[in-house]
Amino acid sequence: MRDAYTARVDEYIAKLGLVGQLAAEDRDGIERWSDGIRGGILDAGCGPNHWTGHLHARRGDVEGLDLVPLFVERARERFPGVTFRTETNHRLPHADAALGGILAWYSLIHERPEAVPGVLREFRRVLVRGGGLLLGFFDGAAAQAFPHRVVPAYFWSVERMSALLADAGFEVRESQTRHDEGYRPHASISAVAL
């Protein structure tokens, strides 16, 4: 996955590198979620780093993390003064209960289904009690693979992802689905750490 995305970093930044290029519903939902977070936010799997930069400009205490070193390098060029790190979602470089929120916007779609529970537990580990998690993913039959333009990805149903979140120590507060014409169905879940 790292190599496949490295080869397309500049393409992804050109297509998705600005929040204005994305759905207004996503922007509004992410902003509303972040406004309710107390403490630092991690954009886990920040990719083109647009959300990290956008949220940092709004509130200041946001950092980005991505598996792909070139995404992180480009992020540091585009958003000086913002912290970006190269790491996986399986091993976050944070102490227990160090963060107020985690944004994982389409950053779990390439995880093998059996690996997702471990990532959710890692998210829970670094969040304070009552800390927020906002997930974005493709809505569909749970754990069903589909061809993605970079590497294979997986659909998740809101019901199955909600169950995994509960098992990892979260309480789901809100979920949404939508299907924009010409795109795969989208879903999001907002949850809090118990």
Side-chain angles (χ1 to χ4, degrees):
M1 183 168 55
R2 179 184 289 126
D3 293 343
Y5 269 101
T6 296
R8 302 182 78 169
V9 162
D10 291 327
E11 173 190 350
Y12 264 71
I13 291 172
K15 287 185 176 182
L16 304 171
L18 299 172
V19 170
Q21 295 169 293
L22 307 172
E25 296 93 339
D26 291 346
R27 183 199 62 232
D28 294 345
I30 290 171
E31 288 179 354
R32 187 173 55 254
W33 169 82
S34 72
D35 289 345
I37 299 298
R38 301 296 166 250
I41 293 177
L42 174 67
D43 184 2
C46 63
N49 44 71
H50 49 287
W51 292 119
T52 315
H54 181 72
L55 293 178
H56 188 272
R58 285 175 53 88
R59 54 178 291 141
D61 55 352
V62 180
E63 66 179 275
L65 178 142
D66 202 88
L67 171 71
V68 180
L70 190 54
F71 267 138
V72 170
E73 180 183 324
R74 294 286 194 273
R76 289 174 177 153
E77 294 167 0
R78 295 177 69 212
F79 302 102
V82 180
T83 299
F84 290 95
R85 305 182 203 208
T86 303
E87 191 56 79
T88 74
N89 288 331
H90 296 268
R91 190 177 53 253
L92 298 177
H94 299 84
D96 295 355
L99 297 170
I102 295 176
L103 175 65
W105 203 248
Y106 292 85
S107 60
L108 300 182
I109 64 170
H110 299 297
E111 295 286 352
R112 292 181 169 277
E114 62 271 17
V116 171
V119 173
L120 295 177
R121 286 191 301 272
E122 180 68 353
F123 287 170
R124 175 60 192 93
R125 179 186 70 76
V126 302
L127 283 171
V128 298
R129 184 177 178 85
L133 172 64
L134 183 60
L135 298 175
F137 53 96
F138 292 111
D139 185 36
Q144 178 183 341
F146 67 88
H148 183 274
R149 67 179 95 165
V150 181
V151 294
Y154 297 89
F155 289 110
W156 286 97
S157 67
V158 167
E159 295 76 19
R160 182 65 183 131
M161 186 61 78
S162 295
L164 293 176
L165 285 163
D167 289 345
F170 290 93
E171 178 182 297
V172 171
R173 292 289 171 91
E174 182 181 356
S175 65
Q176 296 182 345
T177 59
R178 78 169 195 274
H179 192 173
D180 300 334
E181 189 173 337
Y183 296 92
R184 293 180 182 94
H186 300 281
S188 65
I189 296 177
S190 175
V192 296
L194 298 175

Coordinates of all heavy atoms in Angstrom, one line a residue, residues 47-91:
G47 N -3.2 11.3 4.4 CA -3.1 11.3 3.0 C -2.7 12.7 2.4 O -1.7 13.2 2.8
P48 N -3.6 13.2 1.5 CA -3.3 14.5 0.9 C -3.2 15.7 1.9 O -2.9 16.8 1.6 CB -4.4 14.7 -0.1 CG -4.9 13.4 -0.3 CD -4.7 12.6 0.9
N49 N -3.5 15.4 3.2 CA -3.4 16.3 4.3 C -4.3 17.6 4.3 O -4.0 18.5 5.0 CB -1.9 16.7 4.5 CG -1.1 17.1 3.3 OD1 -1.4 18.1 2.7 ND2 -0.2 16.2 2.9
H50 N -5.3 17.5 3.5 CA -6.2 18.7 3.4 C -7.0 18.9 4.7 O -7.1 20.0 5.1 CB -7.1 18.5 2.2 CG -7.8 17.2 2.2 ND1 -7.1 16.0 1.8 CD2 -9.0 16.8 2.5 CE1 -7.9 15.0 1.9 NE2 -9.1 15.4 2.3
W51 N -7.4 17.8 5.3 CA -8.2 18.0 6.6 C -7.3 18.5 7.7 O -7.7 19.3 8.5 CB -8.9 16.7 7.0 CG -10.0 16.3 6.0 CD1 -10.1 15.2 5.3 CD2 -11.2 17.1 5.7 NE1 -11.2 15.2 4.5 CE2 -11.9 16.4 4.7 CE3 -11.6 18.3 6.1 CZ2 -13.1 16.8 4.2 CZ3 -12.8 18.8 5.6 CH2 -13.5 18.1 4.6
T52 N -6.1 17.9 7.8 CA -5.1 18.4 8.8 C -4.9 19.9 8.7 O -5.0 20.6 9.7 CB -3.8 17.7 8.7 OG1 -4.0 16.3 8.5 CG2 -2.9 17.9 10.0
G53 N -4.6 20.4 7.5 CA -4.3 21.8 7.3 C -5.6 22.6 7.6 O -5.5 23.7 8.3
H54 N -6.7 22.2 7.2 CA -8.0 22.9 7.4 C -8.3 23.0 8.8 O -8.6 24.1 9.3 CB -9.1 22.2 6.6 CG -10.4 22.9 6.7 ND1 -10.7 24.1 6.0 CD2 -11.6 22.5 7.4 CE1 -11.9 24.4 6.3 NE2 -12.5 23.5 7.1
L55 N -8.3 21.9 9.5 CA -8.6 21.9 11.0 C -7.6 22.7 11.8 O -7.9 23.4 12.7 CB -8.8 20.5 11.5 CG -10.0 19.8 10.9 CD1 -10.1 18.3 11.5 CD2 -11.3 20.5 11.2
H56 N -6.3 22.6 11.4 CA -5.3 23.3 12.1 C -5.5 24.8 12.0 O -5.3 25.6 13.0 CB -3.9 22.9 11.6 CG -2.8 23.5 12.4 ND1 -2.2 24.7 12.2 CD2 -2.1 23.0 13.5 CE1 -1.3 25.0 13.0 NE2 -1.2 24.0 13.9
A57 N -5.9 25.2 10.8 CA -6.2 26.7 10.6 C -7.4 27.1 11.5 O -7.4 28.3 11.9 CB -6.4 26.9 9.1
R58 N -8.3 26.2 11.7 CA -9.5 26.6 12.5 C -9.2 26.6 14.0 O -9.8 27.4 14.7 CB -10.6 25.6 12.2 CG -11.3 25.8 10.9 CD -12.3 24.7 10.7 NE -13.3 24.5 11.7 CZ -14.4 25.2 11.8 NH1 -14.8 26.0 10.9 NH2 -15.2 24.9 12.9
R59 N -8.3 25.6 14.5 CA -8.2 25.5 15.9 C -6.8 25.3 16.4 O -6.6 25.4 17.6 CB -9.1 24.3 16.4 CG -8.8 23.0 15.7 CD -9.6 21.8 16.2 NE -9.2 21.5 17.5 CZ -10.0 21.1 18.5 NH1 -11.3 21.0 18.3 NH2 -9.5 20.8 19.6
G60 N -5.8 25.0 15.6 CA -4.4 25.0 16.0 C -3.9 23.7 16.5 O -2.7 23.5 16.3
D61 N -4.7 22.9 17.2 CA -4.1 21.8 17.9 C -4.4 20.5 17.2 O -5.0 19.5 17.7 CB -4.6 21.7 19.4 CG -6.1 21.7 19.5 OD1 -6.8 22.0 18.4 OD2 -6.7 21.5 20.6
V62 N -4.0 20.4 15.9 CA -4.3 19.3 15.0 C -3.0 18.8 14.4 O -2.1 19.7 14.0 CB -5.3 19.6 13.9 CG1 -5.5 18.4 13.0 CG2 -6.6 20.1 14.5
E63 N -2.7 17.5 14.4 CA -1.5 17.0 13.7 C -2.0 15.9 12.8 O -3.0 15.3 12.9 CB -0.5 16.5 14.7 CG -1.0 15.3 15.5 CD 0.0 14.8 16.5 OE1 0.9 14.0 16.1 OE2 0.0 15.2 17.7
G64 N -1.1 15.6 11.8 CA -1.4 14.6 10.8 C -0.4 13.4 10.9 O 0.7 13.6 11.3
L65 N -0.9 12.3 10.5 CA -0.1 11.0 10.5 C -0.4 10.2 9.3 O -1.6 10.1 9.0 CB -0.4 10.2 11.8 CG 0.3 8.9 12.0 CD1 0.7 8.7 13.4 CD2 -0.6 7.8 11.5
D66 N 0.6 9.7 8.6 CA 0.3 8.9 7.4 C 1.4 7.9 7.3 O 2.6 8.1 7.7 CB 0.2 9.7 6.2 CG -0.6 9.0 5.1 OD1 -1.8 9.1 5.1 OD2 0.1 8.3 4.3
L67 N 1.0 6.8 6.7 CA 2.0 5.7 6.4 C 3.0 6.0 5.3 O 4.1 5.5 5.2 CB 1.1 4.5 5.9 CG 1.8 3.2 5.4 CD1 2.5 2.5 6.5 CD2 0.8 2.3 4.7
V68 N 2.6 6.9 4.4 CA 3.4 7.2 3.2 C 4.3 8.4 3.5 O 3.9 9.6 3.6 CB 2.5 7.5 2.0 CG1 3.3 7.8 0.8 CG2 1.5 6.3 1.8
P69 N 5.6 8.2 3.5 CA 6.6 9.3 3.8 C 6.4 10.5 2.9 O 6.6 11.6 3.3 CB 7.9 8.6 3.7 CG 7.7 7.2 4.0 CD 6.3 6.9 3.5
L70 N 6.2 10.2 1.6 CA 6.1 11.3 0.7 C 4.8 12.2 0.9 O 4.9 13.4 0.7 CB 6.1 10.8 -0.8 CG 6.2 11.9 -1.9 CD1 7.4 12.7 -1.7 CD2 6.3 11.2 -3.2
F71 N 3.7 11.6 1.4 CA 2.6 12.4 1.8 C 3.0 13.4 2.9 O 2.6 14.5 3.0 CB 1.4 11.6 2.3 CG 0.4 11.2 1.2 CD1 -0.1 10.0 1.1 CD2 -0.1 12.2 0.3 CE1 -1.1 9.6 0.1 CE2 -1.0 11.9 -0.7 CZ -1.5 10.6 -0.7
V72 N 3.7 12.8 3.9 CA 4.2 13.6 5.0 C 5.2 14.7 4.6 O 5.1 15.9 5.0 CB 4.8 12.7 6.1 CG1 5.5 13.5 7.2 CG2 3.7 11.8 6.7
E73 N 6.1 14.4 3.7 CA 7.0 15.4 3.2 C 6.3 16.5 2.5 O 6.5 17.7 2.8 CB 8.0 14.7 2.2 CG 9.0 15.6 1.6 CD 9.9 14.9 0.6 OE1 10.2 13.7 0.8 OE2 10.2 15.6 -0.4
R74 N 5.3 16.2 1.6 CA 4.5 17.2 0.9 C 3.7 18.0 1.9 O 3.5 19.2 1.8 CB 3.6 16.6 -0.1 CG 4.3 15.9 -1.3 CD 4.9 16.9 -2.2 NE 5.3 16.3 -3.5 CZ 6.5 15.7 -3.7 NH1 7.4 15.7 -2.8 NH2 6.7 15.2 -4.9
A75 N 3.2 17.3 3.0 CA 2.3 18.0 3.9 C 3.2 19.1 4.7 O 2.7 20.2 4.9 CB 1.8 17.1 4.9
R76 N 4.4 18.8 5.0 CA 5.3 19.7 5.7 C 5.6 20.9 4.8 O 5.7 22.0 5.3 CB 6.5 19.0 6.2 CG 6.3 18.1 7.3 CD 7.5 17.3 7.7 NE 7.3 16.4 8.8 CZ 7.9 15.3 9.0 NH1 8.9 14.9 8.2 NH2 7.6 14.5 10.1
E77 N 5.7 20.7 3.5 CA 5.9 21.8 2.6 C 4.7 22.7 2.5 O 4.8 23.9 2.4 CB 6.3 21.3 1.2 CG 7.6 20.5 1.1 CD 7.8 19.7 -0.2 OE1 6.8 19.7 -1.0 OE2 8.8 19.1 -0.3
R78 N 3.5 22.1 2.4 CA 2.3 22.8 2.2 C 1.8 23.5 3.4 O 1.1 24.5 3.3 CB 1.2 21.8 1.7 CG 1.5 21.3 0.3 CD 0.4 20.3 -0.1 NE -0.8 21.0 -0.4 CZ -2.0 20.5 -0.2 NH1 -2.2 19.2 0.3 NH2 -3.1 21.2 -0.4
F79 N 2.0 22.9 4.6 CA 1.5 23.4 5.9 C 2.6 23.6 6.9 O 2.7 22.8 7.9 CB 0.4 22.5 6.4 CG -0.8 22.3 5.4 CD1 -0.9 21.2 4.7 CD2 -1.7 23.3 5.2 CE1 -1.9 21.0 3.8 CE2 -2.7 23.1 4.3 CZ -2.9 22.0 3.6
P80 N 3.5 24.5 6.7 CA 4.6 24.7 7.7 C 4.0 25.1 9.0 O 3.0 25.8 9.1 CB 5.5 25.8 7.1 CG 4.6 26.5 6.1 CD 3.6 25.5 5.6
G81 N 4.6 24.6 10.1 CA 4.1 24.8 11.4 C 3.2 23.8 11.9 O 2.8 23.8 13.1
V82 N 2.7 22.9 11.1 CA 1.8 21.8 11.5 C 2.7 20.6 11.7 O 3.5 20.3 10.9 CB 0.7 21.6 10.4 CG1 -0.2 20.5 10.9 CG2 -0.1 22.9 10.2
T83 N 2.4 19.8 12.7 CA 3.1 18.6 12.9 C 2.5 17.4 12.1 O 1.3 17.2 12.1 CB 3.0 18.2 14.4 OG1 3.6 19.2 15.2 CG2 3.7 16.8 14.7
F84 N 3.4 16.8 11.4 CA 3.1 15.6 10.6 C 4.1 14.5 10.9 O 5.3 14.8 11.1 CB 3.1 15.9 9.1 CG 2.0 16.8 8.6 CD1 2.3 18.2 8.5 CD2 0.8 16.3 8.3 CE1 1.3 19.0 8.1 CE2 -0.2 17.1 7.8 CZ 0.0 18.5 7.7
R85 N 3.6 13.3 11.0 CA 4.5 12.1 11.3 C 4.2 11.0 10.4 O 3.1 10.8 9.9 CB 4.2 11.6 12.7 CG 4.4 12.7 13.8 CD 4.1 12.0 15.2 NE 3.7 13.0 16.2 CZ 4.0 12.8 17.4 NH1 4.6 11.8 17.9 NH2 3.6 13.7 18.3
T86 N 5.2 10.2 10.1 CA 5.1 9.0 9.3 C 5.0 7.8 10.3 O 5.9 7.5 11.1 CB 6.3 8.8 8.4 OG1 6.5 9.9 7.6 CG2 6.1 7.5 7.6
E87 N 3.8 7.1 10.3 CA 3.6 6.0 11.1 C 2.3 5.3 10.7 O 1.6 5.8 9.8 CB 3.4 6.5 12.6 CG 3.4 5.4 13.6 CD 4.6 4.5 13.6 OE1 5.7 4.9 14.1 OE2 4.5 3.4 13.1
T88 N 2.0 4.1 11.2 CA 0.8 3.4 10.8 C -0.3 3.6 11.9 O 0.1 4.0 13.0 CB 1.0 1.9 10.7 OG1 1.2 1.3 12.0 CG2 2.3 1.6 9.9
N89 N -1.5 3.4 11.6 CA -2.6 3.5 12.5 C -2.5 2.3 13.6 O -3.3 2.4 14.5 CB -3.9 3.5 11.8 CG -4.2 4.7 11.1 OD1 -3.7 5.8 11.5 ND2 -4.9 4.7 10.0
H90 N -1.7 1.3 13.3 CA -1.6 0.2 14.2 C -0.7 0.5 15.4 O -0.8 -0.2 16.4 CB -1.0 -1.0 13.5 CG -1.8 -1.5 12.4 ND1 -2.7 -2.5 12.6 CD2 -1.9 -1.2 11.1 CE1 -3.3 -2.7 11.4 NE2 -2.8 -1.9 10.5
R91 N 0.1 1.6 15.3 CA 1.1 1.9 16.4 C 1.2 3.4 16.5 O 2.2 4.0 16.0 CB 2.4 1.2 16.1 CG 3.4 1.3 17.1 CD 4.7 0.5 16.7 NE 5.3 0.9 15.4 CZ 5.2 0.2 14.3 NH1 4.7 -1.0 14.3 NH2 5.7 0.6 13.2

